[in-house]
Amino acid sequence: MMFQTRIEEIGERSLLAAKEYLLQGECVAFPTETVYGLGADARSDAAVANIYAVKGRPQDNPLIVHVHSGYDLNELVYDDKPYAKKLREAFLPGPLTLVYRSRGTVSKKVSCGLDTLAVRVPSHEGAQRFLRAVGIPVAAPSANRSKHVSPVTAGHVYDDLYGKIPLILDGGPCSGGIESTVCDVTGDRPVVLRAGLISREMIESVAGSCDMYVLKEGEPARSPGMKYKHYAPACKTKLFAPEELGKAKEEFFALQSGGTRVLVLCEGSAAAAFPQEAVLCLGNTPAEMAENLYSLLREAETRAEVLLAVEPVGRGGVMTGVLNRLRKACAEG
Ligand code: TXA
Ligand code: MG
């Protein structure tokens, strides 16, 4: 179906329209504190199938269900781990998605046949208003074309999904910048499946322990989304380790003198190595780098043929999530 995609600020009228669209099985984009989501009625097979069609998303990559902070979790999942309650009290609403055993009350297509369900309670005020207004569990991936950079403004959503959805709720730019941490709480200890703004260290400090999931060769992925190429800008990309700054510099000037439109993505402390007008600066702190990453990747693809990315120096904490996204954006294939 083709739509005249509208961008509307969040208010009584747009929320009423959003609810109507969702109940008709259509998708509506909405802001969260991490990235924009592409929401649909999680209870409906047809509505969930619509999400996959709109995004062009592989059918074996499960979705997160979004609910408002007053929603009764027991309608959706079995919540039997005391440490999961501690995590909710410490971090929710916020950028932490928890994976529980599912009660099977939403469409099976949400979890792609897994017996678990990922649930997220976003802290963004606009997201809360939207989820409260619609009242239903909303399945939502990031509101980008599959494999493209996740959207952090309503304009980014429009660029990717124009004509494919009727409504984008505009809540301004997302302050978090990278997708939520996904953490499995079905076992004896929490396991981070996707790194994000709630770091493994933060979870460990509340739950007493926390593992980081590492995909092993030949094993089925526990978080299927992690195996796909993701977050990629349309330009060519090349990634350099922090200690390869000199190499990046050489390559930059070689490309530039050959007439290639080339830009550099790096943290503040590396920026001085390049001409100022060619630098897309990530910032100086992990939080700044998370917030700026996706906007800069989208800017790179409109301005450059080649993007040279120099990895920031910091490791651990929120940098685990930032580096994971940066590496995937610059991955081959
Ligand atoms: O911040 C976010 O999480 C954003 C906003 C819109 O809320 N959403 C988002 O959704 O990033 P998406 O679809 O792009 O990523 C969902 C991730 C994937 O890596 C997927 O594999 C994982 O969550 N996931 C979903 N359900 C799962 C499940 N039952 N078990 C394990 N992993 C699951
Ligand atoms: Mg995504």
Side-chain angles (χ1 to χ4, degrees):
M1 182 148 21
M2 279 297 283
F3 296 98
Q4 276 291 11
T5 305
R6 298 197 317 274
I7 301 183
E8 286 188 21
E9 274 178 27
I10 296 172
E12 248 170 73
R13 214 176 51 115
S14 62
L15 289 175
L16 210 60
K19 182 171 184 174
E20 259 172 46
Y21 285 127
L22 288 195
L23 295 179
Q24 287 162 11
E26 301 300 344
C27 297
V28 171
F30 64 99
T32 80
E33 71 279 20
T34 58
V35 302
Y36 274 73
L38 178 67
D41 184 348
R43 306 164 308 176
S44 155
D45 286 346
V48 175
N50 204 5
I51 293 178
Y52 289 93
V54 165
K55 278 196 67 144
R57 179 178 174 112
Q59 298 269 350
D60 64 343
N61 190 4
L63 302 171
I64 296 170
V65 167
H66 297 63
V67 293
H68 63 79
S69 51
Y71 197 92
D72 181 7
L73 216 65
N74 294 305
E75 286 188 18
L76 301 173
V77 296
Y78 298 99
D79 168 36
D80 43 14
K81 297 291 186 287
Y83 73 79
K85 182 163 184 257
K86 285 195 197 166
L87 292 177
R88 286 199 301 274
E89 283 168 359
F91 300 121
L92 298 194
L96 174 66
T97 297
L98 297 177
V99 176
Y100 304 86
R101 281 192 302 128
S102 177
R103 282 189 194 267
T105 45
V106 296
S107 162
K108 283 193 178 57
K109 288 184 188 293
V110 172
S111 291
C112 305
L114 299 172
D115 57 5
T116 53
L117 185 67
V119 183
R120 166 149 149 70
V121 186
S123 60
H124 189 285
E125 196 201 309
Q128 281 290 329
R129 282 184 73 189
F130 164 68
L131 292 167
R132 229 175 242 118
V134 301
I136 57 174
V138 173
S142 49
N144 51 283
R145 269 183 291 108
S146 187
K147 300 188 178 59
H148 195 213
V149 181
S150 294
V152 293
T153 67
H156 293 161
V157 179
Y158 189 86
D159 291 344
D160 272 24
L161 301 180
Y162 170 76
K164 295 186 169 171
I165 58 175
L167 179 62
I168 300 168
L169 295 172
D170 188 350
C174 305
S175 59
I178 59 172
E179 300 85 349
S180 64
T181 305
V182 178
C183 180
D184 185 309
V185 295
T186 62
D188 292 339
R189 307 150 58 98
V191 182
V192 169
L193 304 178
R194 178 175 74 181
L197 295 167
I198 306 295
S199 65
R200 190 199 66 76
E201 292 85 344
M202 289 162 75
I203 293 172
E204 184 171 56
S205 75
V206 169
S209 65
C210 180
D211 297 327
M212 196 80 194
Y213 175 68
V214 186
L215 178 59
K216 297 200 189 71
E217 201 79 37
E219 226 178 59
R222 257 169 88 180
S223 184
M226 299 305 285
K227 70 179 186 235
Y228 294 106
K229 183 176 164 75
H230 260 100
Y231 324 115
C235 57
K236 281 192 197 141
T237 53
K238 189 162 179 187
L239 185 64
F240 296 86
E243 62 275 13
E244 293 176 319
L245 186 61
K247 211 172 128 193
K249 203 170 152 182
E250 267 172 42
E251 184 134 354
F252 173 83
F253 287 109
L255 284 166
Q256 198 186 47
S257 61
T260 302
R261 283 185 295 129
V262 55
L263 291 176
V264 181
L265 181 73
C266 63
E267 68 182 319
S269 59
F274 306 93
Q276 203 183 337
E277 65 281 4
V279 172
L280 298 172
C281 184
L282 283 165
N284 298 301
T285 65
E288 281 172 14
M289 295 192 232
E291 181 175 358
N292 295 328
L293 178 64
Y294 287 152
S295 284
L296 294 177
L297 288 172
R298 283 191 180 241
E299 186 179 340
E301 69 185 6
T302 66
R303 290 179 50 204
E305 293 161 90
V306 178
L307 176 69
L308 305 181
V310 183
E311 281 187 2
V313 175
R315 294 292 179 271
V318 171
M319 285 313 293
T320 305
V322 172
L323 281 171
N324 162 279
R325 305 310 192 284
L326 179 62
R327 287 174 183 163
K328 286 198 173 205
C330 300
E332 303 282 314

